[in-house]
């Protein structure tokens, strides 16, 4: 997997790129979760508004 002839600079660059990939993966995952929570909040707010309208008309 690792080539012993790689320089210290090349190894550092390799690990930095792997870390960047990992952090981007985590960021993407969190963005999906935030989008899901935001959508849930919006639906719940719409339901609350709708229920208030029903109470006022009754």
């Amino acid at each position: 997997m690792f080539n012993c002839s790689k320089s210290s600079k090349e190894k550092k660059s390799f690990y930095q790129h792997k870390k960047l990939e990992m952090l981007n993966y985590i960021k993407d995952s969190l963005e999906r979760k935030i989008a899901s929570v935001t959508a849930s909040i919006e639906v719940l707010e719409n339901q609350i508004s709708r229920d208030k309208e029903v109470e006022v008309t009754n």
Side-chain angles (χ1 to χ4, degrees):
M1 181 177 170
F2 296 107
N3 188 349
C4 293
S5 65
K6 284 188 176 181
S7 71
S8 178
K9 221 178 219 187
E10 289 173 317
K11 287 179 187 178
K12 182 179 179 180
S13 178
F14 173 80
Y15 285 115
Q16 285 176 330
H17 282 91
K18 286 296 175 187
K19 185 175 181 178
L20 181 59
E21 286 178 14
M22 179 189 69
L23 291 172
N24 277 323
Y25 175 81
I26 292 169
K27 182 182 132 197
D28 290 345
S29 175
L30 291 172
E31 286 174 342
R32 284 190 297 275
K33 289 176 185 177
I34 289 170
S36 173
V37 170
T38 301
S40 295
I41 289 169
E42 185 179 331
V43 168
L44 186 55
E45 288 174 339
N46 289 340
Q47 290 172 344
I48 290 169
S49 294
R50 182 195 63 211
D51 292 345
K52 281 183 181 179
E53 289 173 11
V54 170
E55 289 176 6
V56 170
T57 58
N58 287 338

